[in-house]
Coordinates of all heavy atoms in Angstrom, one line a residue:
M1 N -29.3 63.6 42.4 CA -28.5 62.7 41.6 C -27.1 63.1 41.5 O -26.2 62.4 41.6 CB -29.3 62.6 40.2 CG -28.6 61.6 39.3 SD -28.8 60.0 39.9 CE -28.3 59.0 38.7
K2 N -27.0 64.5 41.3 CA -25.6 65.1 41.2 C -24.8 64.8 42.6 O -23.6 64.5 42.5 CB -25.6 66.6 41.0 CG -26.1 66.9 39.7 CD -26.1 68.4 39.5 CE -26.7 68.9 38.1 NZ -26.7 70.2 38.0
Q3 N -25.5 64.9 43.8 CA -24.8 64.6 45.0 C -24.3 63.2 45.1 O -23.3 62.8 45.6 CB -25.7 65.0 46.1 CG -26.1 66.4 46.3 CD -27.1 66.8 47.2 OE1 -27.9 65.9 47.6 NE2 -27.2 68.0 47.7
V4 N -25.1 62.2 44.6 CA -24.8 60.8 44.6 C -23.6 60.5 43.8 O -22.6 59.9 44.1 CB -25.9 59.9 44.1 CG1 -25.5 58.4 44.0 CG2 -27.1 60.0 45.2
I5 N -23.5 61.2 42.5 CA -22.4 61.0 41.7 C -21.1 61.6 42.2 O -20.0 61.0 42.3 CB -22.7 61.6 40.2 CG1 -23.8 60.8 39.6 CG2 -21.4 61.7 39.4 CD1 -24.3 61.4 38.3
L6 N -21.3 62.8 42.9 CA -20.1 63.5 43.5 C -19.7 62.7 44.7 O -18.4 62.4 44.8 CB -20.6 64.8 44.0 CG -19.5 65.6 44.7 CD1 -18.3 65.9 43.7 CD2 -20.0 67.0 45.2
A7 N -20.6 62.1 45.5 CA -20.2 61.3 46.7 C -19.4 60.0 46.1 O -18.3 59.6 46.8 CB -21.4 60.9 47.5
C8 N -19.9 59.4 45.1 CA -19.2 58.2 44.6 C -17.8 58.5 44.0 O -17.0 57.7 44.2 CB -20.1 57.5 43.5 SG -21.6 56.8 44.1
S9 N -17.8 59.6 43.4 CA -16.5 60.0 42.8 C -15.5 60.3 43.9 O -14.3 59.9 43.8 CB -16.6 61.3 41.9 OG -17.5 61.1 40.9
I10 N -15.9 60.9 44.9 CA -15.0 61.1 46.1 C -14.5 59.8 46.7 O -13.3 59.7 47.0 CB -15.6 62.1 47.1 CG1 -15.8 63.5 46.4 CG2 -14.8 62.2 48.4 CD1 -16.7 64.5 47.3
V11 N -15.5 58.9 46.9 CA -15.1 57.7 47.6 C -14.1 57.0 46.7 O -13.1 56.3 47.1 CB -16.4 56.8 47.8 CG1 -16.0 55.4 48.3 CG2 -17.2 57.5 48.9
L12 N -14.4 57.0 45.4 CA -13.5 56.2 44.4 C -12.1 56.9 44.5 O -11.1 56.2 44.4 CB -14.1 56.3 43.0 CG -13.4 55.5 42.0 CD1 -13.3 54.1 42.2 CD2 -14.0 55.8 40.6
A13 N -12.1 58.2 44.4 CA -10.7 58.9 44.4 C -10.0 58.5 45.6 O -8.7 58.3 45.7 CB -11.0 60.4 44.3
I14 N -10.6 58.5 46.8 CA -9.9 58.2 48.1 C -9.5 56.8 48.1 O -8.4 56.5 48.4 CB -10.9 58.5 49.3 CG1 -11.1 60.0 49.5 CG2 -10.4 57.9 50.6 CD1 -12.2 60.3 50.5
A15 N -10.4 55.8 47.6 CA -9.9 54.4 47.6 C -8.8 54.2 46.7 O -7.9 53.4 47.0 CB -11.1 53.6 47.2
C16 N -8.8 54.8 45.5 CA -7.7 54.6 44.5 C -6.3 55.2 45.0 O -5.3 54.8 44.6 CB -8.1 55.2 43.2 SG -9.4 54.4 42.4
N17 N -6.4 56.2 45.8 CA -5.3 56.9 46.4 C -4.7 56.2 47.6 O -3.6 56.6 47.9 CB -5.6 58.4 46.7 CG -4.4 59.3 46.6 OD1 -3.4 58.9 46.0 ND2 -4.5 60.5 47.2
Q18 N -5.3 55.3 48.2 CA -4.8 54.6 49.4 C -3.4 54.0 49.2 O -2.5 54.1 50.0 CB -5.7 53.5 49.9 CG -7.2 54.1 50.2 CD -7.0 54.6 51.7 OE1 -6.2 54.2 52.4 NE2 -7.9 55.6 52.0
N19 N -3.3 53.1 48.1 CA -1.9 52.4 47.9 C -1.3 53.0 46.6 O -0.9 52.1 45.8 CB -2.2 50.9 47.8 CG -2.8 50.3 49.1 OD1 -2.3 50.8 50.2 ND2 -3.7 49.4 49.0
N20 N -1.1 54.2 46.5 CA -0.6 54.7 45.3 C 1.0 55.0 45.5 O 1.4 56.1 45.0 CB -1.2 56.0 44.9 CG -1.1 56.3 43.5 OD1 -0.6 55.5 42.7 ND2 -1.5 57.5 43.1
K21 N 1.7 54.2 46.3 CA 3.1 54.4 46.4 C 3.9 53.7 45.3 O 3.5 52.7 44.9 CB 3.6 53.8 47.7 CG 2.9 54.4 48.9 CD 3.4 53.7 50.2 CE 2.7 54.3 51.4 NZ 3.0 53.6 52.7
P22 N 5.0 54.3 44.7 CA 5.7 53.7 43.7 C 6.5 52.6 44.3 O 7.0 52.5 45.4 CB 6.6 54.8 43.2 CG 6.7 55.8 44.3 CD 5.4 55.7 45.1
A23 N 6.7 51.5 43.4 CA 7.4 50.4 43.8 C 8.9 50.7 44.1 O 9.5 51.5 43.2 CB 7.2 49.3 42.8
E24 N 9.5 50.1 45.0 CA 10.9 50.3 45.3 C 11.7 49.5 44.3 O 11.4 48.3 44.2 CB 11.3 50.0 46.7 CG 10.7 50.9 47.7 CD 11.1 50.6 49.1 OE1 12.1 49.9 49.3 OE2 10.3 51.0 50.0
K25 N 12.8 50.1 43.8 CA 13.6 49.3 42.9 C 14.7 48.6 43.7 O 15.3 49.2 44.5 CB 14.2 50.2 41.8 CG 13.2 50.8 40.8 CD 13.9 51.6 39.7 CE 12.8 52.1 38.7 NZ 13.4 52.9 37.7
T26 N 14.9 47.3 43.4 CA 16.0 46.6 44.0 C 16.8 45.9 43.0 O 16.2 45.5 42.0 CB 15.5 45.7 45.2 OG1 14.7 44.7 44.5 CG2 14.7 46.3 46.2
N27 N 18.1 45.6 43.3 CA 18.8 44.9 42.4 C 19.0 43.4 42.8 O 19.7 42.7 42.2 CB 20.2 45.5 42.3 CG 20.3 46.9 41.6 OD1 19.4 47.2 40.8 ND2 21.2 47.7 42.0
A28 N 18.1 43.0 43.7 CA 18.2 41.6 44.2 C 17.6 40.7 43.1 O 16.6 41.2 42.4 CB 17.4 41.5 45.4
P29 N 18.2 39.5 42.9 CA 17.6 38.6 41.8 C 16.2 38.1 42.4 O 15.9 38.0 43.5 CB 18.7 37.4 41.9 CG 19.2 37.4 43.2 CD 19.3 39.0 43.7
M30 N 15.4 37.9 41.3 CA 14.1 37.4 41.6 C 14.2 35.9 42.1 O 14.9 35.1 41.5 CB 13.2 37.4 40.3 CG 13.0 38.8 39.7 SD 11.9 39.6 40.8 CE 10.4 38.8 40.5
P31 N 13.4 35.6 43.1 CA 13.4 34.2 43.6 C 12.7 33.3 42.7 O 11.8 33.7 42.0 CB 12.7 34.4 45.0 CG 11.9 35.5 44.9 CD 12.6 36.5 43.9
E32 N 12.9 32.0 42.7 CA 12.2 31.0 41.9 C 10.8 30.8 42.4 O 10.8 30.7 43.7 CB 13.0 29.7 41.9 CG 12.4 28.7 41.0 CD 13.2 27.4 41.0 OE1 14.4 27.4 41.0 OE2 12.5 26.3 40.9
P33 N 9.8 30.7 41.6 CA 8.5 30.5 42.1 C 8.4 29.3 42.9 O 8.9 28.2 42.6 CB 7.6 30.4 40.8 CG 8.5 31.0 39.8 CD 9.9 30.8 40.2
P34 N 7.8 29.3 44.1 CA 7.7 28.1 45.0 C 6.8 27.0 44.4 O 7.0 25.9 44.7 CB 7.0 28.6 46.2 CG 6.3 29.9 45.9 CD 7.1 30.4 44.7
A35 N 5.8 27.3 43.6 CA 5.0 26.2 42.9 C 5.9 25.3 42.2 O 5.6 24.0 42.3 CB 3.9 26.9 42.1
M36 N 6.8 25.7 41.4 CA 7.6 24.8 40.7 C 8.6 23.9 41.5 O 8.7 22.7 41.3 CB 8.5 25.6 39.6 CG 7.6 26.2 38.5 SD 6.6 25.1 37.6 CE 7.8 24.3 36.6
A37 N 9.1 24.5 42.6 CA 9.9 23.8 43.4 C 9.1 22.8 44.2 O 9.6 21.6 44.4 CB 10.6 24.8 44.4
E38 N 7.9 23.0 44.7 CA 7.1 22.1 45.4 C 6.7 21.0 44.5 O 6.6 19.9 44.8 CB 5.7 22.9 45.9 CG 6.1 23.6 47.1 CD 4.8 24.3 47.6 OE1 3.7 23.8 47.3 OE2 4.9 25.3 48.2
A39 N 6.3 21.4 43.2 CA 5.9 20.3 42.3 C 7.0 19.3 42.0 O 6.6 18.1 41.8 CB 5.4 21.0 40.9
A40 N 8.2 19.8 41.9 CA 9.3 18.8 41.6 C 9.5 17.9 42.8 O 9.9 16.8 42.6 CB 10.6 19.6 41.3
S41 N 9.4 18.4 44.0 CA 9.6 17.5 45.1 C 8.4 16.9 45.7 O 8.4 16.0 46.6 CB 10.2 18.4 46.3 OG 9.2 19.3 46.6
S42 N 7.2 17.1 45.2 CA 6.0 16.6 45.6 C 5.8 15.2 45.1 O 6.3 14.9 44.0 CB 4.7 17.4 45.1 OG 3.5 16.8 45.4
D43 N 5.2 14.3 46.0 CA 4.9 12.9 45.5 C 3.6 12.8 44.8 O 3.2 11.8 44.5 CB 4.9 12.0 46.7 CG 3.9 12.3 47.7 OD1 3.4 13.4 47.7 OD2 3.6 11.5 48.5
K44 N 2.9 13.9 44.6 CA 1.7 13.9 43.8 C 2.0 13.9 42.3 O 2.9 14.6 41.9 CB 0.8 15.2 44.2 CG 0.6 15.2 45.6 CD -0.5 14.3 46.1 CE -0.8 14.5 47.6 NZ -1.9 13.7 48.0
W45 N 1.2 13.3 41.6 CA 1.3 13.4 40.1 C 0.7 14.6 39.5 O -0.2 15.3 40.1 CB 0.5 12.2 39.5 CG 1.0 10.8 39.7 CD1 2.4 10.6 39.8 CD2 0.5 9.7 39.7 NE1 2.7 9.3 39.8 CE2 1.5 8.7 39.9 CE3 -0.9 9.2 39.6 CZ2 1.2 7.3 39.9 CZ3 -1.2 7.8 39.7 CH2 -0.2 6.9 39.9
P46 N 1.2 15.0 38.4 CA 0.6 16.2 37.7 C -0.7 15.9 37.1 O -1.1 14.7 37.1 CB 1.7 16.5 36.6 CG 2.3 15.2 36.3 CD 2.3 14.5 37.6
D47 N -1.4 16.9 36.7 CA -2.6 16.7 36.0 C -2.5 15.8 34.8 O -1.5 16.1 33.9 CB -3.2 18.0 35.4 CG -4.6 17.9 34.9 OD1 -4.8 17.0 34.1 OD2 -5.4 18.8 35.2
P48 N -3.0 14.6 34.7 CA -2.7 13.7 33.6 C -3.0 14.1 32.2 O -2.5 13.6 31.2 CB -3.5 12.4 34.0 CG -4.5 12.9 34.9 CD -4.0 14.1 35.6
V49 N -4.0 15.0 32.1 CA -4.5 15.5 30.8 C -3.6 16.7 30.2 O -3.0 16.5 29.2 CB -6.0 16.0 30.9 CG1 -6.4 16.5 29.5 CG2 -6.8 14.8 31.3
C50 N -3.4 17.7 31.0 CA -2.6 18.9 30.5 C -1.2 18.8 31.0 O -0.4 19.8 30.6 CB -3.3 20.2 30.8 SG -3.4 20.5 32.5
R51 N -0.9 18.0 32.0 CA 0.4 17.8 32.5 C 0.9 18.9 33.4 O 2.1 19.1 33.7 CB 1.5 17.5 31.4 CG 1.1 16.5 30.4 CD 1.2 15.2 31.1 NE 2.6 14.6 30.9 CZ 2.9 13.4 31.2 NH1 2.1 12.6 31.7 NH2 4.2 13.0 30.9
M52 N 0.0 19.8 33.9 CA 0.4 20.8 34.9 C 0.8 20.2 36.1 O 0.2 19.3 36.6 CB -0.9 21.8 35.1 CG -1.2 22.6 34.0 SD -2.5 23.9 34.2 CE -1.6 24.9 35.4
P53 N 1.9 20.8 36.8 CA 2.3 20.2 38.1 C 1.3 20.3 39.1 O 0.4 21.1 39.1 CB 3.5 21.1 38.5 CG 3.9 21.8 37.2 CD 2.7 21.9 36.4
Y54 N 1.4 19.3 40.0 CA 0.3 19.4 41.1 C 0.3 20.6 42.0 O 1.4 21.1 42.2 CB 0.6 18.1 42.1 CG -0.3 18.1 43.3 CD1 -1.6 17.7 43.2 CD2 0.2 18.6 44.5 CE1 -2.4 17.7 44.4 CE2 -0.6 18.5 45.6 CZ -1.9 18.2 45.5 OH -2.7 18.3 46.6
D55 N -0.8 21.1 42.3 CA -1.0 22.3 43.1 C -2.0 22.0 44.1 O -3.0 21.3 43.9 CB -1.4 23.4 42.2 CG -1.4 24.8 43.0 OD1 -1.2 24.8 44.2 OD2 -1.5 25.8 42.3
T56 N -1.7 22.4 45.4 CA -2.6 22.2 46.4 C -3.9 23.0 46.3 O -4.9 22.6 47.0 CB -2.0 22.7 47.8 OG1 -1.7 24.0 47.6 CG2 -0.8 21.8 48.2
S57 N -4.0 23.8 45.3 CA -5.3 24.5 45.1 C -6.3 23.7 44.2 O -7.5 24.2 44.0 CB -5.1 25.9 44.5 OG -4.5 25.8 43.3
Y58 N -5.8 22.7 43.7 CA -6.7 21.8 42.8 C -7.9 21.4 43.5 O -7.7 20.6 44.6 CB -6.0 20.6 42.1 CG -5.0 21.0 41.1 CD1 -4.1 20.1 40.5 CD2 -4.8 22.3 40.6 CE1 -3.1 20.4 39.6 CE2 -3.9 22.6 39.7 CZ -3.0 21.7 39.1 OH -2.1 22.0 38.2
K59 N -9.1 21.6 43.1 CA -10.4 21.2 43.8 C -10.9 19.9 43.1 O -11.7 19.3 43.7 CB -11.3 22.3 43.7 CG -10.8 23.6 44.3 CD -11.4 24.0 45.6 CE -11.1 25.2 46.2 NZ -9.7 25.3 46.8
E60 N -10.6 19.8 41.9 CA -11.1 18.6 41.1 C -10.3 17.4 41.3 O -9.0 17.4 41.3 CB -11.2 18.9 39.6 CG -12.2 20.0 39.3 CD -13.7 19.7 39.8 OE1 -14.1 18.6 39.7 OE2 -14.3 20.7 40.2
W61 N -10.9 16.2 41.6 CA -10.1 14.9 41.7 C -11.1 13.8 41.4 O -12.2 13.8 41.4 CB -9.6 14.9 43.2 CG -10.6 14.9 44.2 CD1 -11.1 16.0 44.7 CD2 -11.3 13.8 44.8 NE1 -12.2 15.7 45.7 CE2 -12.3 14.3 45.7 CE3 -11.2 12.4 44.7 CZ2 -13.0 13.5 46.4 CZ3 -12.0 11.6 45.4 CH2 -12.9 12.2 46.4
T62 N -10.4 12.6 41.3 CA -11.1 11.3 41.1 C -10.2 10.2 41.6 O -9.0 10.5 41.8 CB -11.6 11.1 39.6 OG1 -12.4 10.0 39.6 CG2 -10.3 10.9 38.7
V63 N -10.8 9.0 41.9 CA -10.0 7.9 42.2 C -9.9 7.0 41.1 O -10.9 6.6 40.5 CB -10.6 7.2 43.6 CG1 -9.8 6.0 43.9 CG2 -10.6 8.2 44.8
Y64 N -8.8 6.5 40.7 CA -8.5 5.6 39.6 C -7.7 4.5 40.1 O -6.5 4.8 40.5 CB -7.9 6.3 38.4 CG -7.6 5.3 37.3 CD1 -8.5 4.9 36.4 CD2 -6.2 4.9 37.2 CE1 -8.2 4.1 35.4 CE2 -5.9 4.1 36.1 CZ -6.9 3.6 35.2 OH -6.6 2.8 34.2
Q65 N -8.2 3.3 40.3 CA -7.5 2.1 40.7 C -6.8 2.5 42.0 O -5.5 2.2 42.1 CB -6.5 1.6 39.6 CG -7.2 1.1 38.4 CD -6.2 0.6 37.3 OE1 -5.0 0.7 37.5 NE2 -6.8 0.1 36.3
K66 N -7.5 2.9 43.0 CA -6.9 3.2 44.4 C -6.0 4.4 44.4 O -5.4 4.7 45.4 CB -6.3 2.0 45.0 CG -7.2 0.8 45.1 CD -6.6 -0.4 45.9 CE -7.5 -1.6 45.9 NZ -6.9 -2.7 46.5
D67 N -5.7 5.1 43.3 CA -4.9 6.3 43.3 C -5.9 7.5 43.2 O -6.8 7.6 42.4 CB -4.0 6.3 42.1 CG -2.9 5.3 42.1 OD1 -2.5 5.0 43.3 OD2 -2.5 4.6 41.2
T68 N -5.6 8.5 44.0 CA -6.3 9.7 43.9 C -5.5 10.7 42.9 O -4.4 11.0 43.0 CB -6.3 10.6 45.3 OG1 -7.0 9.6 46.1 CG2 -7.1 11.8 45.1
I69 N -6.3 11.1 41.8 CA -5.8 11.8 40.7 C -6.4 13.3 40.8 O -7.6 13.4 40.9 CB -6.2 11.2 39.4 CG1 -5.8 9.8 39.3 CG2 -5.5 12.0 38.2 CD1 -4.3 9.5 39.5
H70 N -5.6 14.3 40.9 CA -6.1 15.7 41.0 C -6.0 16.4 39.6 O -5.1 16.0 38.8 CB -5.2 16.5 42.0 CG -5.2 15.9 43.3 ND1 -6.1 16.3 44.3 CD2 -4.5 14.9 43.9 CE1 -6.1 15.6 45.3 NE2 -5.0 14.8 45.2
F71 N -6.9 17.2 39.4 CA -7.1 18.0 38.1 C -7.1 19.5 38.3 O -7.7 19.9 39.3 CB -8.3 17.5 37.4 CG -8.4 16.1 37.1 CD1 -9.0 15.1 38.0 CD2 -7.8 15.5 36.0 CE1 -9.1 13.8 37.8 CE2 -7.8 14.2 35.8 CZ -8.5 13.4 36.7
C72 N -6.5 20.2 37.3 CA -6.6 21.7 37.5 C -7.9 22.3 37.0 O -8.1 23.4 37.5 CB -5.4 22.2 36.5 SG -5.8 22.1 34.8
S73 N -8.7 21.6 36.4 CA -10.0 22.1 36.0 C -11.0 21.0 35.8 O -10.7 19.7 35.7 CB -9.9 22.9 34.7 OG -9.6 21.9 33.7
V74 N -12.3 21.3 35.8 CA -13.4 20.4 35.5 C -13.2 19.8 34.1 O -13.5 18.6 33.9 CB -14.8 21.1 35.6 CG1 -15.9 20.2 35.2 CG2 -14.9 21.6 37.0
T75 N -12.8 20.6 33.1 CA -12.5 20.2 31.7 C -11.6 18.9 31.7 O -11.8 17.9 31.1 CB -12.1 21.3 30.9 OG1 -13.0 22.4 31.0 CG2 -12.0 20.8 29.4
C76 N -10.4 19.1 32.3 CA -9.4 18.0 32.4 C -9.9 16.8 33.0 O -9.7 15.7 32.6 CB -8.2 18.5 33.1 SG -7.1 19.6 32.1
K77 N -10.7 17.0 34.1 CA -11.4 15.8 34.8 C -12.3 15.1 33.8 O -12.2 13.8 33.8 CB -12.1 16.3 36.0 CG -12.7 15.2 36.8 CD -13.4 15.6 38.0 CE -14.1 14.5 38.7 NZ -14.8 15.0 39.9
E78 N -13.1 15.8 33.1 CA -14.1 15.2 32.1 C -13.4 14.5 31.0 O -13.7 13.4 30.6 CB -15.0 16.3 31.6 CG -16.0 16.8 32.7 CD -16.8 18.0 32.1 OE1 -16.6 18.5 31.1 OE2 -17.7 18.3 33.0
V79 N -12.3 15.1 30.5 CA -11.5 14.4 29.4 C -10.8 13.2 30.0 O -10.9 12.1 29.3 CB -10.4 15.4 28.9 CG1 -9.4 14.7 28.0 CG2 -11.1 16.6 28.1
F80 N -10.3 13.2 31.1 CA -9.8 12.0 31.8 C -10.7 10.9 31.9 O -10.4 9.8 31.6 CB -9.1 12.4 33.1 CG -8.6 11.2 33.8 CD1 -7.2 10.7 33.5 CD2 -9.3 10.6 34.9 CE1 -6.7 9.7 34.2 CE2 -8.7 9.5 35.5 CZ -7.5 9.1 35.2
Q81 N -11.9 11.2 32.4 CA -12.9 10.2 32.7 C -13.4 9.5 31.4 O -14.0 8.4 31.4 CB -14.0 10.8 33.5 CG -13.7 11.1 34.8 CD -14.8 11.8 35.7 OE1 -15.6 12.5 35.1 NE2 -14.7 11.7 36.9
K82 N -13.1 10.1 30.2 CA -13.6 9.5 29.0 C -12.6 8.4 28.6 O -13.0 7.4 27.9 CB -13.7 10.5 28.0 CG -14.9 11.4 28.0 CD -15.0 12.5 26.9 CE -16.1 13.5 27.2 NZ -16.1 14.5 26.3
A83 N -11.4 8.5 28.9 CA -10.3 7.6 28.6 C -9.2 7.6 29.6 O -8.1 7.9 29.5 CB -9.7 7.9 27.2
P84 N -9.5 7.1 30.8 CA -8.5 7.1 32.0 C -7.4 6.2 31.7 O -6.2 6.6 32.1 CB -9.4 6.6 33.1 CG -10.5 5.9 32.6 CD -10.8 6.4 31.3
D85 N -7.5 5.0 31.1 CA -6.4 4.2 30.9 C -5.3 4.9 29.9 O -4.1 4.7 30.1 CB -6.8 2.9 30.2 CG -7.7 2.1 31.2 OD1 -7.3 2.1 32.3 OD2 -8.5 1.4 30.6
K86 N -5.7 5.6 28.9 CA -4.8 6.3 28.0 C -4.0 7.3 28.8 O -2.8 7.4 28.6 CB -5.7 7.0 26.9 CG -4.9 8.0 26.1 CD -5.9 8.7 25.1 CE -5.3 9.9 24.5 NZ -6.2 10.7 23.7
Y87 N -4.6 8.2 29.6 CA -3.9 9.2 30.3 C -3.0 8.7 31.4 O -1.9 9.2 31.7 CB -4.8 10.3 30.8 CG -5.4 11.1 29.7 CD1 -6.8 10.8 29.3 CD2 -4.8 11.9 29.0 CE1 -7.3 11.5 28.2 CE2 -5.3 12.6 27.9 CZ -6.5 12.4 27.6 OH -7.1 13.1 26.5
M88 N -3.5 7.6 32.1 CA -2.6 7.0 33.2 C -1.4 6.2 32.6 O -0.3 6.3 33.2 CB -3.4 5.9 34.0 CG -4.5 6.7 34.9 SD -3.7 7.9 36.0 CE -2.8 6.9 37.1
A89 N -1.5 5.7 31.4 CA -0.4 5.1 30.8 C 0.7 6.2 30.4 O 1.9 5.9 30.6 CB -0.8 4.4 29.5
K90 N 0.3 7.4 30.0 CA 1.2 8.4 29.7 C 1.8 9.0 31.0 O 3.0 9.4 31.0 CB 0.5 9.6 29.0 CG 0.1 9.3 27.5 CD -0.6 10.5 27.0 CE -1.0 10.2 25.5 NZ -1.8 11.4 25.0
L91 N 1.0 9.0 32.0 CA 1.5 9.6 33.3 C 2.5 8.6 34.0 O 3.5 9.1 34.6 CB 0.4 9.8 34.3 CG 0.6 10.6 35.5 CD1 0.9 12.0 35.1 CD2 -0.8 10.7 36.3
K92 N 2.4 7.3 33.9 CA 3.3 6.4 34.6 C 4.5 6.2 33.8 O 5.4 5.5 34.3 CB 2.6 5.1 34.9 CG 1.4 5.3 35.9 CD 0.8 4.0 36.2 CE -0.2 4.2 37.4 NZ -0.9 3.0 37.8
K93 N 4.8 6.7 32.6 CA 5.9 6.5 32.0 C 7.2 7.2 32.5 O 7.1 8.1 33.1 CB 5.9 6.9 30.4 CG 5.0 6.0 29.7 CD 4.9 6.5 28.2 CE 4.1 5.5 27.3 NZ 4.0 5.8 26.0

């Protein structure tokens, strides 16, 4: 048992030490996140419930009056399906 614990400790120590380099400091300005820039130029609507900008990683969707609506979560999709007219009215304003 002691040998197993020792072996695990050694493997863990080696794995943790692989990428232990300090981050380089730069004075360059931080770039704007691409998700916000894409969302602003995208022709896709945001999530109608929580208003999060469209993201290509959204897996939840539904079709409402020939429009494909994407959701950030299953919860937002379920809330939308209870009152779709209410949320689409807010979205199209």
Side-chain angles (χ1 to χ4, degrees):
M1 185 66 168
K2 290 180 183 179
Q3 293 172 341
V4 172
I5 293 172
L6 180 61
C8 289
S9 298
I10 291 171
V11 170
L12 181 64
I14 291 171
C16 290
N17 204 16
Q18 293 283 330
N19 295 323
N20 203 10
K21 297 178 183 176
E24 294 181 21
K25 293 183 179 180
T26 61
N27 291 334
M30 295 290 289
E32 184 177 326
M36 294 303 285
E38 283 180 25
S41 64
S42 173
D43 62 343
K44 303 282 186 179
W45 285 333
D47 184 317
V49 178
C50 67
R51 311 288 269 182
M52 287 186 66
Y54 173 77
D55 188 347
T56 56
S57 67
Y58 288 173
K59 306 253 186 281
E60 296 298 322
W61 59 275
T62 190
V63 176
Y64 175 79
Q65 296 180 354
K66 298 181 183 179
D67 291 323
T68 303
I69 312 297
H70 297 269
F71 302 94
C72 67
S73 67
V74 176
T75 304
C76 284
K77 180 180 177 182
E78 290 172 353
V79 169
F80 175 82
Q81 289 175 333
K82 290 178 183 176
D85 294 326
K86 170 186 167 184
Y87 291 104
M88 287 306 291
K90 289 180 182 178
L91 192 62
K92 289 184 178 182
K93 285 184 178 179

